[in-house]
Amino acid sequence: MKILVLNIGSTSFRFKLYDINRLDLIASGKMENLSTENSYCIYDNLNGKIKFDYNVSNVFDALSLTNKLILNDATGVIDSIDEIAAIGHRVVHGGNFFKNSTIITNDIENKIEQLIPLMPLHGPRTLETIKLCKLLYKNSINVAVFDTAFHQTIPIENQLYAIPIHYYTKYGVRKYGAHGISYSSVLKRYTEIKQINKDSINTIICHLGGGCSMCNIKNGKSFDTTMGFTPLAGLIMASRSGNIDPSIILYLIKNCNISVEQIEKELNEESGYYGITGETDAKKIVEESLKGNPKAIILRKMANNDFKKNLLGMMSINEPDSIILTGGMGTKNKEQRELFLSDLEHFNIIIDKEKNNKVFDSEAIISTNKSIPIYVIPDDEEKEIATECVKILRR
């Protein structure tokens, strides 16, 4: 039997197919730039990768292409979709409803729908995918794995906002965090690398990608994180603003005749890197900054200052034994790593530029011998989700 894992982004669709016994990867695929003229797919059935342009305009198209690839005579790896015992879904926000992974019943589906306002970028596509999977894979169970579950260990003093307490007690307004599946994956791998008990680990994991966040790990558990009530808070991101003065929103509504809906869309989809440069790809922004593009230069300075303030703030609440970088930008963008970790010698953070330049999407230590250890560890969210599916199937 097999496990199909689906990881849905705002403009991307990734899948991986695992054998249920040892969680061996059988096939994987990713579709990028959904709903645009530039959509394409990369598929790997372990006999070789193929990349091709494909008009993926919605989730149904993505799932149809997934089935075609894994069942096709030329590229397929299974004979029937009935071989798929479970489908694992990454769900960005679990709110107060979900503290653990769960089988998706109609009631669970309804609760996920209620949480869409807390995950406006990912929620609608995730819910659409769940509904379609119930129709297309009638003999498979669907499992929801929540990004917020990892952060349930954050103590109450790090969860609460300094607003009237009834917003927490009545409406559940508090810090939930995100990227928890990524953090869990990286933390497990780190324990294997160090060969130490998870409970003895104190580290800061920096997830740097389209979404960016940091997590302070104390005694092997999430102690604090930069994302908050929603994934909009914290660091400057590809299209999300990160932290801003909340009065800006009130000012825009009261004095600039801008609707709540427009502000929500702009803060989530048109801010961050995109808001300053018109570009979300950090690699392209680096290239533009080296050409002298003033907007790209300013944005990189903003992101650099923002990263350092958040990192040192995280270090101040619980001294780490190491710093770990993950996520697409954290593992594949040597220029951003060097920028973010430069000029921090007085905090015992010293990057080795030669080591750093050699690292692309692989495990490595990129610090000098005099520095607190700085690791690059790619995450594997899909395998983490598959592991959760196996746990539920075995119950």
Side-chain angles (χ1 to χ4, degrees):
M1 299 301 288
K2 309 295 186 293
I3 294 174
L4 177 64
V5 174
L6 303 177
N7 192 340
I8 315 301
S10 54
T11 61
S12 65
F13 181 102
R14 288 187 290 172
F15 71 86
K16 286 187 179 179
L17 189 67
Y18 295 89
D19 184 87
I20 200 169
N21 294 317
R22 294 170 52 189
L23 287 185
D24 292 327
L25 181 63
I26 300 170
S28 64
K30 61 179 179 179
M31 301 161 213
E32 301 288 350
N33 303 325
L34 268 64
S35 305
T36 75
E37 295 178 355
N38 301 316
S39 61
Y40 66 90
C41 176
I42 297 175
Y43 175 68
D44 185 358
N45 64 0
L46 306 188
N47 290 320
K49 290 184 180 180
I50 55 173
K51 180 179 179 179
F52 54 95
D53 295 332
Y54 195 86
N55 183 16
V56 185
S57 59
N58 52 48
V59 172
F60 180 79
D61 289 344
L63 284 171
S64 297
L65 179 56
T66 298
N67 284 342
K68 182 178 178 181
L69 289 168
I70 63 177
L71 290 166
N72 186 282
D73 288 340
T75 61
V77 289
I78 59 175
D79 296 320
S80 167
I81 58 173
D82 290 339
E83 293 180 39
I84 299 172
I87 303 169
H89 301 265
R90 176 194 173 210
V91 183
V92 168
H93 213 299
N96 269 338
F97 294 135
F98 305 109
K99 295 179 172 58
N100 298 290
S101 303
T102 182
I103 292 175
I104 302 174
T105 61
N106 289 337
D107 179 58
I108 299 298
E109 188 179 312
N110 291 335
K111 285 184 168 64
I112 291 173
E113 186 168 12
Q114 293 175 45
L115 292 168
I116 283 180
L118 303 184
M119 46 177 171
L121 279 183
H122 301 85
R125 285 191 190 273
T126 299
L127 186 65
E128 183 184 1
T129 303
I130 290 168
K131 290 178 182 292
L132 283 170
C133 284
K134 285 186 173 182
L135 294 173
L136 295 174
Y137 307 90
K138 295 184 183 298
N139 295 324
S140 307
I141 66 166
N142 287 270
V143 176
V145 183
F146 299 93
D147 256 328
T148 49
F150 180 78
H151 300 294
Q152 295 297 324
T153 56
I154 292 177
I156 189 69
E157 65 271 19
N158 292 341
Q159 287 185 21
L160 291 180
Y161 294 104
I163 58 177
I165 194 69
H166 70 266
Y167 287 115
Y168 167 66
T169 55
K170 187 174 181 180
Y171 301 109
V173 176
R174 64 170 177 87
K175 178 181 288 188
Y176 289 96
H179 289 145
I181 300 168
S182 171
Y183 289 135
S184 180
S185 165
V186 170
L187 188 59
K188 285 180 181 177
R189 180 60 191 144
Y190 183 62
T191 62
E192 293 170 357
I193 293 169
K194 297 288 289 182
Q195 294 187 332
I196 55 177
N197 190 290
K198 189 179 81 167
D199 295 342
S200 65
I201 292 174
N202 296 290
T203 188
I204 294 172
I205 306 177
C206 307
H207 181 107
L208 305 175
C212 298
S213 69
M214 295 181 189
C215 184
N216 187 304
I217 304 293
K218 182 177 182 180
N219 299 327
K221 298 180 177 66
S222 177
F223 184 69
D224 202 359
T225 188
T226 53
M227 283 183 168
F229 180 58
T230 73
L232 183 60
L235 294 159
I236 298 171
M237 304 174 228
S239 67
R240 281 171 274 185
S241 65
N243 286 345
I244 63 169
D245 181 343
S247 291
I248 293 172
I249 299 169
L250 303 178
Y251 175 82
L252 294 174
I253 294 171
K254 290 181 178 179
N255 300 288
C256 303
N257 196 31
I258 299 177
S259 69
V260 172
E261 291 76 17
Q262 183 178 345
I263 292 171
E264 181 182 40
K265 185 177 189 300
E266 289 180 345
L267 289 178
N268 279 284
E269 301 177 31
E270 300 172 10
S271 296
Y273 290 15
Y274 182 84
I276 302 298
T277 69
E279 176 62 65
T280 59
D281 188 325
K283 198 71 176 175
K284 291 181 180 178
I285 292 171
V286 168
E287 293 170 359
E288 285 298 309
S289 71
L290 296 175
K291 294 176 184 176
N293 184 316
K295 291 181 179 178
I297 291 170
I298 290 169
L299 183 277
R300 291 193 73 205
K301 288 180 178 179
M302 291 171 63
N304 179 37
N305 292 338
D306 187 52
F307 178 88
K308 286 178 166 64
K309 285 187 285 189
N310 278 276
L311 177 64
L312 297 177
M314 281 287 165
M315 291 177 68
S316 70
I317 61 172
N318 178 45
E319 185 176 356
D321 303 321
S322 63
I323 296 168
I324 303 171
L325 305 181
T326 194
M329 182 164 57
T331 60
K332 299 176 183 178
N333 194 322
K334 63 183 181 181
E335 292 88 358
Q336 289 296 83
R337 290 195 302 255
E338 181 178 331
L339 177 66
F340 288 167
L341 295 167
S342 63
D343 303 319
L344 292 172
E345 292 84 359
H346 47 302
F347 296 102
N348 197 31
I349 298 171
I350 311 169
I351 189 171
D352 186 313
K353 294 182 182 180
E354 186 175 344
K355 291 179 182 176
N356 179 58
N357 287 337
K358 295 177 181 178
V359 178
F360 182 85
D361 202 23
S362 58
E363 293 178 358
I365 296 177
I366 59 170
S367 51
T368 69
N369 293 333
K370 295 181 179 180
S371 169
I372 179 174
I374 305 170
Y375 290 81
V376 174
I377 303 177
D379 61 10
D380 193 342
E381 291 181 320
E382 289 79 20
K383 190 169 185 178
E384 189 70 15
I385 294 169
T387 301
E388 289 295 300
C389 290
V390 170
K391 289 179 184 177
I392 284 177
L393 287 170
R394 286 178 176 166
R395 289 180 200 147

